[in-house]
PDB file of all heavy atoms in Angstrom:
ATOM      1  N   GLY A   1     -13.380   7.772 -46.667  1.00 91.00           N
ATOM      2  CA  GLY A   1     -12.159   8.451 -46.255  1.00 91.00           C
ATOM      3  C   GLY A   1     -11.804   8.192 -44.808  1.00 91.00           C
ATOM      4  O   GLY A   1     -10.631   7.991 -44.457  1.00 91.00           O
ATOM      5  N   SER A   2     -12.829   8.180 -43.940  1.00 90.00           N
ATOM      6  CA  SER A   2     -12.573   7.992 -42.511  1.00 90.00           C
ATOM      7  C   SER A   2     -12.072   6.589 -42.202  1.00 90.00           C
ATOM      8  O   SER A   2     -11.349   6.390 -41.214  1.00 90.00           O
ATOM      9  CB  SER A   2     -13.839   8.278 -41.709  1.00 90.00           C
ATOM     10  OG  SER A   2     -14.860   7.341 -42.018  1.00 90.00           O
ATOM     11  N   LEU A   3     -12.450   5.598 -43.031  1.00 91.00           N
ATOM     12  CA  LEU A   3     -11.988   4.232 -42.810  1.00 91.00           C
ATOM     13  C   LEU A   3     -10.687   3.934 -43.551  1.00 91.00           C
ATOM     14  O   LEU A   3      -9.806   3.253 -43.027  1.00 91.00           O
ATOM     15  CB  LEU A   3     -13.063   3.238 -43.254  1.00 91.00           C
ATOM     16  CG  LEU A   3     -14.367   3.243 -42.447  1.00 91.00           C
ATOM     17  CD1 LEU A   3     -15.359   2.257 -43.039  1.00 91.00           C
ATOM     18  CD2 LEU A   3     -14.105   2.916 -40.986  1.00 91.00           C
ATOM     19  N   ALA A   4     -10.576   4.437 -44.767  1.00 92.00           N
ATOM     20  CA  ALA A   4      -9.394   4.143 -45.575  1.00 92.00           C
ATOM     21  C   ALA A   4      -8.131   4.733 -44.964  1.00 92.00           C
ATOM     22  O   ALA A   4      -7.061   4.102 -45.014  1.00 92.00           O
ATOM     23  CB  ALA A   4      -9.580   4.674 -46.998  1.00 92.00           C
ATOM     24  N   PHE A   5      -8.224   5.913 -44.366  1.00 90.00           N
ATOM     25  CA  PHE A   5      -7.021   6.548 -43.832  1.00 90.00           C
ATOM     26  C   PHE A   5      -6.381   5.730 -42.710  1.00 90.00           C
ATOM     27  O   PHE A   5      -5.204   5.377 -42.809  1.00 90.00           O
ATOM     28  CB  PHE A   5      -7.329   7.976 -43.350  1.00 90.00           C
ATOM     29  CG  PHE A   5      -6.147   8.628 -42.681  1.00 90.00           C
ATOM     30  CD1 PHE A   5      -5.092   9.114 -43.436  1.00 90.00           C
ATOM     31  CD2 PHE A   5      -6.081   8.739 -41.302  1.00 90.00           C
ATOM     32  CE1 PHE A   5      -3.990   9.703 -42.828  1.00 90.00           C
ATOM     33  CE2 PHE A   5      -4.993   9.321 -40.681  1.00 90.00           C
ATOM     34  CZ  PHE A   5      -3.943   9.809 -41.448  1.00 90.00           C
ATOM     35  N   PRO A   6      -7.104   5.389 -41.630  1.00 87.00           N
ATOM     36  CA  PRO A   6      -6.432   4.659 -40.548  1.00 87.00           C
ATOM     37  C   PRO A   6      -6.197   3.183 -40.843  1.00 87.00           C
ATOM     38  O   PRO A   6      -5.235   2.594 -40.341  1.00 87.00           O
ATOM     39  CB  PRO A   6      -7.394   4.829 -39.360  1.00 87.00           C
ATOM     40  CG  PRO A   6      -8.727   4.997 -39.970  1.00 87.00           C
ATOM     41  CD  PRO A   6      -8.496   5.718 -41.265  1.00 87.00           C
ATOM     42  N   VAL A   7      -7.072   2.560 -41.659  1.00 87.00           N
ATOM     43  CA  VAL A   7      -6.991   1.114 -41.857  1.00 87.00           C
ATOM     44  C   VAL A   7      -6.004   0.743 -42.953  1.00 87.00           C
ATOM     45  O   VAL A   7      -5.256  -0.241 -42.834  1.00 87.00           O
ATOM     46  CB  VAL A   7      -8.390   0.540 -42.172  1.00 87.00           C
ATOM     47  CG1 VAL A   7      -8.300  -0.950 -42.500  1.00 87.00           C
ATOM     48  CG2 VAL A   7      -9.327   0.761 -40.994  1.00 87.00           C
ATOM     49  N   LEU A   8      -5.976   1.504 -44.048  1.00 89.00           N
ATOM     50  CA  LEU A   8      -5.154   1.148 -45.201  1.00 89.00           C
ATOM     51  C   LEU A   8      -4.002   2.119 -45.450  1.00 89.00           C
ATOM     52  O   LEU A   8      -2.836   1.728 -45.481  1.00 89.00           O
ATOM     53  CB  LEU A   8      -6.031   1.056 -46.454  1.00 89.00           C
ATOM     54  CG  LEU A   8      -7.087  -0.056 -46.475  1.00 89.00           C
ATOM     55  CD1 LEU A   8      -7.940   0.069 -47.728  1.00 89.00           C
ATOM     56  CD2 LEU A   8      -6.425  -1.417 -46.414  1.00 89.00           C
ATOM     57  N   LEU A   9      -4.355   3.386 -45.639  1.00 90.00           N
ATOM     58  CA  LEU A   9      -3.364   4.334 -46.143  1.00 90.00           C
ATOM     59  C   LEU A   9      -2.243   4.595 -45.141  1.00 90.00           C
ATOM     60  O   LEU A   9      -1.048   4.536 -45.492  1.00 90.00           O
ATOM     61  CB  LEU A   9      -4.055   5.649 -46.511  1.00 90.00           C
ATOM     62  CG  LEU A   9      -5.116   5.551 -47.609  1.00 90.00           C
ATOM     63  CD1 LEU A   9      -5.775   6.901 -47.844  1.00 90.00           C
ATOM     64  CD2 LEU A   9      -4.493   5.029 -48.893  1.00 90.00           C
ATOM     65  N   LEU A  10      -2.605   4.912 -43.891  1.00 88.00           N
ATOM     66  CA  LEU A  10      -1.582   5.262 -42.906  1.00 88.00           C
ATOM     67  C   LEU A  10      -0.611   4.119 -42.627  1.00 88.00           C
ATOM     68  O   LEU A  10       0.607   4.306 -42.700  1.00 88.00           O
ATOM     69  CB  LEU A  10      -2.245   5.752 -41.618  1.00 88.00           C
ATOM     70  CG  LEU A  10      -1.294   6.279 -40.536  1.00 88.00           C
ATOM     71  CD1 LEU A  10      -0.494   7.455 -41.057  1.00 88.00           C
ATOM     72  CD2 LEU A  10      -2.080   6.666 -39.292  1.00 88.00           C
ATOM     73  N   PRO A  11      -1.094   2.892 -42.314  1.00 86.00           N
ATOM     74  CA  PRO A  11      -0.130   1.824 -42.033  1.00 86.00           C
ATOM     75  C   PRO A  11       0.649   1.354 -43.252  1.00 86.00           C
ATOM     76  O   PRO A  11       1.797   0.914 -43.118  1.00 86.00           O
ATOM     77  CB  PRO A  11      -1.006   0.694 -41.471  1.00 86.00           C
ATOM     78  CG  PRO A  11      -2.374   0.974 -41.955  1.00 86.00           C
ATOM     79  CD  PRO A  11      -2.480   2.471 -42.049  1.00 86.00           C
ATOM     80  N   LEU A  12       0.062   1.430 -44.453  1.00 86.00           N
ATOM     81  CA  LEU A  12       0.749   0.930 -45.640  1.00 86.00           C
ATOM     82  C   LEU A  12       1.697   1.950 -46.255  1.00 86.00           C
ATOM     83  O   LEU A  12       2.770   1.585 -46.751  1.00 86.00           O
ATOM     84  CB  LEU A  12      -0.279   0.501 -46.692  1.00 86.00           C
ATOM     85  CG  LEU A  12      -1.136  -0.724 -46.335  1.00 86.00           C
ATOM     86  CD1 LEU A  12      -2.122  -1.013 -47.459  1.00 86.00           C
ATOM     87  CD2 LEU A  12      -0.262  -1.936 -46.064  1.00 86.00           C
ATOM     88  N   LEU A  13       1.315   3.224 -46.228  1.00 87.00           N
ATOM     89  CA  LEU A  13       2.098   4.242 -46.929  1.00 87.00           C
ATOM     90  C   LEU A  13       2.826   5.194 -45.994  1.00 87.00           C
ATOM     91  O   LEU A  13       3.893   5.709 -46.341  1.00 87.00           O
ATOM     92  CB  LEU A  13       1.182   5.053 -47.860  1.00 87.00           C
ATOM     93  CG  LEU A  13       0.444   4.274 -48.947  1.00 87.00           C
ATOM     94  CD1 LEU A  13      -0.444   5.215 -49.748  1.00 87.00           C
ATOM     95  CD2 LEU A  13       1.423   3.547 -49.855  1.00 87.00           C
ATOM     96  N   GLY A  14       2.254   5.482 -44.829  1.00 86.00           N
ATOM     97  CA  GLY A  14       2.809   6.517 -43.974  1.00 86.00           C
ATOM     98  C   GLY A  14       2.126   7.846 -44.238  1.00 86.00           C
ATOM     99  O   GLY A  14       1.340   7.992 -45.180  1.00 86.00           O
ATOM    100  N   LEU A  15       2.439   8.837 -43.415  1.00 89.00           N
ATOM    101  CA  LEU A  15       1.726  10.114 -43.464  1.00 89.00           C
ATOM    102  C   LEU A  15       1.896  10.842 -44.786  1.00 89.00           C
ATOM    103  O   LEU A  15       0.916  11.186 -45.457  1.00 89.00           O
ATOM    104  CB  LEU A  15       2.198  11.005 -42.314  1.00 89.00           C
ATOM    105  CG  LEU A  15       1.518  10.818 -40.967  1.00 89.00           C
ATOM    106  CD1 LEU A  15       2.209  11.670 -39.906  1.00 89.00           C
ATOM    107  CD2 LEU A  15       0.042  11.188 -41.050  1.00 89.00           C
ATOM    108  N   PHE A  16       3.124  11.125 -45.163  1.00 92.00           N
ATOM    109  CA  PHE A  16       3.334  12.023 -46.297  1.00 92.00           C
ATOM    110  C   PHE A  16       3.058  11.373 -47.652  1.00 92.00           C
ATOM    111  O   PHE A  16       2.487  12.024 -48.536  1.00 92.00           O
ATOM    112  CB  PHE A  16       4.728  12.629 -46.229  1.00 92.00           C
ATOM    113  CG  PHE A  16       4.935  13.460 -44.992  1.00 92.00           C
ATOM    114  CD1 PHE A  16       5.931  13.153 -44.085  1.00 92.00           C
ATOM    115  CD2 PHE A  16       4.099  14.522 -44.708  1.00 92.00           C
ATOM    116  CE1 PHE A  16       6.101  13.899 -42.932  1.00 92.00           C
ATOM    117  CE2 PHE A  16       4.256  15.280 -43.560  1.00 92.00           C
ATOM    118  CZ  PHE A  16       5.270  14.965 -42.669  1.00 92.00           C
ATOM    119  N   PRO A  17       3.420  10.114 -47.881  1.00 93.00           N
ATOM    120  CA  PRO A  17       2.957   9.482 -49.126  1.00 93.00           C
ATOM    121  C   PRO A  17       1.436   9.422 -49.216  1.00 93.00           C
ATOM    122  O   PRO A  17       0.876   9.549 -50.303  1.00 93.00           O
ATOM    123  CB  PRO A  17       3.574   8.074 -49.041  1.00 93.00           C
ATOM    124  CG  PRO A  17       4.784   8.237 -48.194  1.00 93.00           C
ATOM    125  CD  PRO A  17       4.396   9.267 -47.169  1.00 93.00           C
ATOM    126  N   THR A  18       0.766   9.248 -48.065  1.00 93.00           N
ATOM    127  CA  THR A  18      -0.697   9.282 -48.074  1.00 93.00           C
ATOM    128  C   THR A  18      -1.206  10.647 -48.500  1.00 93.00           C
ATOM    129  O   THR A  18      -2.172  10.759 -49.262  1.00 93.00           O
ATOM    130  CB  THR A  18      -1.248   8.938 -46.673  1.00 93.00           C
ATOM    131  OG1 THR A  18      -0.919   7.577 -46.375  1.00 93.00           O
ATOM    132  CG2 THR A  18      -2.752   9.122 -46.612  1.00 93.00           C
ATOM    133  N   ALA A  19      -0.564  11.710 -48.005  1.00 94.00           N
ATOM    134  CA  ALA A  19      -0.967  13.066 -48.385  1.00 94.00           C
ATOM    135  C   ALA A  19      -0.853  13.254 -49.894  1.00 94.00           C
ATOM    136  O   ALA A  19      -1.730  13.856 -50.529  1.00 94.00           O
ATOM    137  CB  ALA A  19      -0.113  14.092 -47.647  1.00 94.00           C
ATOM    138  N   VAL A  20       0.224  12.739 -50.477  1.00 95.00           N
ATOM    139  CA  VAL A  20       0.416  12.871 -51.929  1.00 95.00           C
ATOM    140  C   VAL A  20      -0.628  12.060 -52.685  1.00 95.00           C
ATOM    141  O   VAL A  20      -1.191  12.515 -53.683  1.00 95.00           O
ATOM    142  CB  VAL A  20       1.836  12.422 -52.324  1.00 95.00           C
ATOM    143  CG1 VAL A  20       2.001  12.445 -53.840  1.00 95.00           C
ATOM    144  CG2 VAL A  20       2.870  13.334 -51.672  1.00 95.00           C
ATOM    145  N   LEU A  21      -0.911  10.853 -52.193  1.00 94.00           N
ATOM    146  CA  LEU A  21      -1.883  10.003 -52.875  1.00 94.00           C
ATOM    147  C   LEU A  21      -3.269  10.625 -52.869  1.00 94.00           C
ATOM    148  O   LEU A  21      -3.918  10.717 -53.920  1.00 94.00           O
ATOM    149  CB  LEU A  21      -1.935   8.626 -52.210  1.00 94.00           C
ATOM    150  CG  LEU A  21      -3.020   7.685 -52.753  1.00 94.00           C
ATOM    151  CD1 LEU A  21      -2.763   7.364 -54.222  1.00 94.00           C
ATOM    152  CD2 LEU A  21      -3.102   6.407 -51.935  1.00 94.00           C
ATOM    153  N   ILE A  22      -3.732  11.053 -51.693  1.00 95.00           N
ATOM    154  CA  ILE A  22      -5.078  11.633 -51.654  1.00 95.00           C
ATOM    155  C   ILE A  22      -5.123  12.968 -52.387  1.00 95.00           C
ATOM    156  O   ILE A  22      -6.161  13.366 -52.913  1.00 95.00           O
ATOM    157  CB  ILE A  22      -5.596  11.771 -50.215  1.00 95.00           C
ATOM    158  CG1 ILE A  22      -4.741  12.750 -49.404  1.00 95.00           C
ATOM    159  CG2 ILE A  22      -5.662  10.426 -49.526  1.00 95.00           C
ATOM    160  CD1 ILE A  22      -5.256  12.975 -47.982  1.00 95.00           C
ATOM    161  N   GLY A  23      -3.975  13.657 -52.470  1.00 95.00           N
ATOM    162  CA  GLY A  23      -3.924  14.891 -53.252  1.00 95.00           C
ATOM    163  C   GLY A  23      -4.054  14.650 -54.735  1.00 95.00           C
ATOM    164  O   GLY A  23      -4.580  15.500 -55.471  1.00 95.00           O
ATOM    165  N   SER A  24      -3.604  13.492 -55.196  1.00 96.00           N
ATOM    166  CA  SER A  24      -3.672  13.216 -56.639  1.00 96.00           C
ATOM    167  C   SER A  24      -5.101  12.903 -57.097  1.00 96.00           C
ATOM    168  O   SER A  24      -5.422  13.069 -58.281  1.00 96.00           O
ATOM    169  CB  SER A  24      -2.759  12.035 -56.989  1.00 96.00           C
ATOM    170  OG  SER A  24      -3.245  10.831 -56.431  1.00 96.00           O
ATOM    171  N   LEU A  25      -5.957  12.473 -56.165  1.00 95.00           N
ATOM    172  CA  LEU A  25      -7.319  12.082 -56.561  1.00 95.00           C
ATOM    173  C   LEU A  25      -8.120  13.235 -57.164  1.00 95.00           C
ATOM    174  O   LEU A  25      -8.766  13.052 -58.208  1.00 95.00           O
ATOM    175  CB  LEU A  25      -8.051  11.478 -55.362  1.00 95.00           C
ATOM    176  CG  LEU A  25      -7.494  10.155 -54.829  1.00 95.00           C
ATOM    177  CD1 LEU A  25      -8.309   9.679 -53.641  1.00 95.00           C
ATOM    178  CD2 LEU A  25      -7.476   9.090 -55.928  1.00 95.00           C
ATOM    179  N   PRO A  26      -8.153  14.431 -56.560  1.00 96.00           N
ATOM    180  CA  PRO A  26      -8.884  15.530 -57.210  1.00 96.00           C
ATOM    181  C   PRO A  26      -8.337  15.877 -58.590  1.00 96.00           C
ATOM    182  O   PRO A  26      -9.098  16.245 -59.491  1.00 96.00           O
ATOM    183  CB  PRO A  26      -8.705  16.705 -56.227  1.00 96.00           C
ATOM    184  CG  PRO A  26      -8.403  16.071 -54.916  1.00 96.00           C
ATOM    185  CD  PRO A  26      -7.625  14.843 -55.244  1.00 96.00           C
ATOM    186  N   ALA A  27      -7.009  15.747 -58.753  1.00 96.00           N
ATOM    187  CA  ALA A  27      -6.422  16.062 -60.057  1.00 96.00           C
ATOM    188  C   ALA A  27      -6.901  15.085 -61.121  1.00 96.00           C
ATOM    189  O   ALA A  27      -7.283  15.483 -62.237  1.00 96.00           O
ATOM    190  CB  ALA A  27      -4.898  16.042 -59.958  1.00 96.00           C
ATOM    191  N   PHE A  28      -6.891  13.799 -60.807  1.00 96.00           N
ATOM    192  CA  PHE A  28      -7.371  12.814 -61.779  1.00 96.00           C
ATOM    193  C   PHE A  28      -8.869  12.949 -62.016  1.00 96.00           C
ATOM    194  O   PHE A  28      -9.368  12.648 -63.108  1.00 96.00           O
ATOM    195  CB  PHE A  28      -7.023  11.405 -61.305  1.00 96.00           C
ATOM    196  CG  PHE A  28      -5.551  11.080 -61.436  1.00 96.00           C
ATOM    197  CD1 PHE A  28      -4.810  10.692 -60.333  1.00 96.00           C
ATOM    198  CD2 PHE A  28      -4.919  11.172 -62.666  1.00 96.00           C
ATOM    199  CE1 PHE A  28      -3.459  10.391 -60.453  1.00 96.00           C
ATOM    200  CE2 PHE A  28      -3.558  10.878 -62.801  1.00 96.00           C
ATOM    201  CZ  PHE A  28      -2.829  10.484 -61.695  1.00 96.00           C
ATOM    202  N   MET A  29      -9.589  13.414 -61.002  1.00 95.00           N
ATOM    203  CA  MET A  29     -11.015  13.656 -61.186  1.00 95.00           C
ATOM    204  C   MET A  29     -11.231  14.802 -62.179  1.00 95.00           C
ATOM    205  O   MET A  29     -12.141  14.746 -63.022  1.00 95.00           O
ATOM    206  CB  MET A  29     -11.665  13.983 -59.850  1.00 95.00           C
ATOM    207  CG  MET A  29     -13.171  14.189 -59.921  1.00 95.00           C
ATOM    208  SD  MET A  29     -13.872  14.341 -58.280  1.00 95.00           S
ATOM    209  CE  MET A  29     -13.052  15.841 -57.714  1.00 95.00           C
ATOM    210  N   VAL A  30     -10.408  15.826 -62.108  1.00 96.00           N
ATOM    211  CA  VAL A  30     -10.487  16.920 -63.080  1.00 96.00           C
ATOM    212  C   VAL A  30     -10.218  16.397 -64.490  1.00 96.00           C
ATOM    213  O   VAL A  30     -10.881  16.788 -65.460  1.00 96.00           O
ATOM    214  CB  VAL A  30      -9.480  18.030 -62.707  1.00 96.00           C
ATOM    215  CG1 VAL A  30      -9.355  19.047 -63.842  1.00 96.00           C
ATOM    216  CG2 VAL A  30      -9.906  18.730 -61.429  1.00 96.00           C
TER     217      VAL A  30
END
């Protein structure tokens, strides 16, 4: 998480799409 956020997610998606993406992970895990 500490590497993916600054290296991939933030520059590729931006703040709020990143928030939605990481939010979907617990749901799919359920």
Side-chain angles (χ1 to χ4, degrees):
S2 65
L3 294 177
F5 175 76
V7 175
L8 295 175
L9 299 177
L10 185 60
L12 293 179
L13 300 178
L15 275 174
F16 298 121
T18 294
V20 175
L21 174 63
I22 64 177
S24 68
L25 294 180
F28 287 123
M29 183 172 63
V30 169

